Amino acid sequence: MEFDFRKISGEFALEGEFVSCEHYGEGHINDTYKLTTEGANGRKRYILQRINTNLFSDVEKLMHNIELVTAFCRASVEKRGGDPMRECLNLVPTREGKSYWTDGENYFRVYLFIEGATTYQIVRNARDFYESAVAFGSFASLLADFDASELYEVLPNFHNTKVRYANFLRSVEKDAAGRAEEVRAEIDWVIAHKDWCGKLVDKIACGEIPLRVTHNDTKLNNVMIDKATGKGIAVIDLDTVMPGSLCYDFGDSIRFGCNSAAEDEPDLDKVHFRKDLYETYLKGYLSAVGNSITEEERKNLAAGAVIMTYECGMRFLADYLDGDVYFRTSRKKQNLDRAHTQFRLADEMIAQYESLQKLAEK
Ligand code: ADP
Ligand code: GN1
Ligand code: MG
């Protein structure tokens, strides 16, 4: 879809005049663009996003959450003497003072571009991964002071693996794209592992594991790593900040980062679970999350890793069955390749599950 970016950027209180706007980043959900302007102070960059309204049908509620969470993060960065222009997301308001603009059909928002930092699609070295763990762990400990009742649950049951499983079976049943026969073995794999679905959900339901305000989408490319210092300076992609579990946040980082290959690697011989990186992340996360983690949460971190990997694989496969309507794809069978990598990783994690648990409890 093509948009008149000059006009759209004119709706926001940007510095300078419009220069250019192009696609940016590797997110699977929103349409993200790098927007450049030029004014008296030289060039300035912004992130412009077209919000994915297939998921976020109530943009008003989504942006209410984003306004609160970004203001909360900004205040805490200021309190610790950090740089609020780089260490958190900053919304740029419209000329009318709103946090988003709509042409009646499409919804846009603008953030300041976090300069001098980058995101990675794969772990390049243990140090970056350790730093991402510290960033997500600190973010979790920060959110411990956030009042959950102020947030709308914009994506209900986001990590309710039992509900995800029921939805998956519906996709199999419906077979909208006529692909179920081709992926029978993959469907059977999901069904054979269905006992994992309840392991965390049930503990959360009975209060054994606390519900907290969490990020819920803690993959490596949702943390900005400073190019000069290698530190994880800002946690981004705050659309899913909602009640959740530390075990999910920990697990989602593991499923993405402890992959020896890319999330959509077609050659499964290259895909392995990297236990060394699991240990690295664990150390960084526990060092930053502080005392707020409960005994039961700690005992279930490894379960979080398996379940997030299983759940994500199941979501990719469901989307393949639905005809690739949820996650952005740039080639045929990309969702199927993504599902395959997750199943491979989950198999390898399950094979050494006890030792992963022991490491987390140590
Ligand atoms: P999605 O919800 O689609 O994953 P994200 O909000 O994660 O979208 O943005 C996609 C990518 O754009 C990120 O992985 C990151 O590389 C880049 N990005 C997002 N926000 C900023 C920002 N404020 N400054 C610099 N880069 C950003
Ligand atoms: C999506 O938005 P992004 O690309 O950071 C998805 C996550 C998945 C991830 C898989 C809102 O994350 O839940 O784990 O893709 N986000 C949403 O890579 O569904
Ligand atoms: Mg993202």
Side-chain angles (χ1 to χ4, degrees), residues 283-299:
K283 278 188 198 139
Y285 196 73
L286 291 177
S287 77
V289 84
N291 295 331
S292 65
I293 189 166
T294 68
E295 190 68 22
E296 201 55 32
E297 284 173 322
R298 213 178 151 119
K299 276 191 193 156

Side-chain angles (χ1 to χ4, degrees), residues 23-244:
H23 261 290
Y24 191 75
E26 310 255 341
H28 292 345
I29 301 298
N30 297 298
D31 290 337
T32 301
Y33 304 90
K34 181 176 71 181
L35 173 64
T36 307
T37 62
E38 182 146 27
N41 299 322
R43 291 210 162 191
K44 199 166 161 87
R45 303 199 291 180
Y46 299 90
I47 285 287
L48 169 72
Q49 283 185 324
R50 186 169 79 101
I51 298 166
N52 184 331
T53 46
N54 283 342
L55 278 78
F56 302 110
S57 51
D58 193 332
V59 175
E60 192 65 40
K61 286 187 176 156
L62 170 75
M63 292 311 292
H64 162 94
N65 285 2
I66 300 278
E67 283 172 36
L68 289 187
V69 176
T70 52
F72 179 85
C73 291
R74 190 183 168 93
S76 72
V77 169
E78 281 169 349
K79 208 155 101 193
R80 67 165 188 255
D83 177 357
M85 304 304 271
R86 292 182 75 231
E87 294 172 30
C88 55
L89 280 179
N90 286 279
L91 280 167
V92 179
T94 66
R95 300 211 176 269
E96 288 171 357
K98 287 197 73 169
S99 59
Y100 66 92
W101 178 79
T102 179
D103 59 9
E105 192 182 338
N106 302 286
Y107 291 76
F108 296 91
R109 67 182 168 205
V110 173
Y111 290 118
L112 294 184
F113 195 98
I114 299 174
E115 297 288 353
T118 192
T119 53
Y120 296 108
Q121 311 310 323
I122 189 168
V123 172
R124 290 180 321 163
N125 57 56
R127 188 163 165 241
D128 287 344
F129 198 42
Y130 181 87
E131 294 300 341
S132 78
V134 171
F136 281 126
S138 313
F139 191 75
S141 108
L142 185 74
L143 287 182
D145 294 329
F146 196 94
D147 180 1
S149 68
E150 290 184 13
L151 293 179
Y152 293 108
E153 200 177 356
V154 284
L155 300 174
N157 292 316
F158 190 62
H159 285 314
N160 185 326
T161 320
K162 282 177 156 178
V163 170
R164 292 277 183 196
Y165 182 72
N167 292 343
F168 168 76
L169 292 182
R170 261 199 295 279
S171 293
V172 175
E173 180 74 21
K174 200 164 168 208
D175 194 15
R179 295 170 173 173
E181 207 176 296
E182 172 209 342
V183 295
R184 187 43 39 199
E186 289 83 349
I187 294 170
D188 288 346
W189 186 95
V190 172
I191 295 171
H193 292 81
K194 72 172 192 298
D195 285 354
W196 285 95
C197 293
K199 280 192 202 299
L200 282 177
V201 172
D202 293 345
K203 288 201 166 100
I204 291 169
C206 72
E208 240 175 84
I209 294 180
L211 256 195
R212 311 159 168 268
V213 179
T214 52
H215 185 280
N216 291 304
D217 189 1
T218 51
K219 62 187 201 187
L220 183 65
N221 66 11
N222 287 332
V223 60
M224 305 288 311
I225 308 274
D226 188 293
K227 284 186 195 164
T229 64
K231 298 273 177 211
I233 52 164
V235 169
I236 61 169
D237 202 348
L238 305 174
D239 294 334
T240 51
V241 173
M242 286 179 299

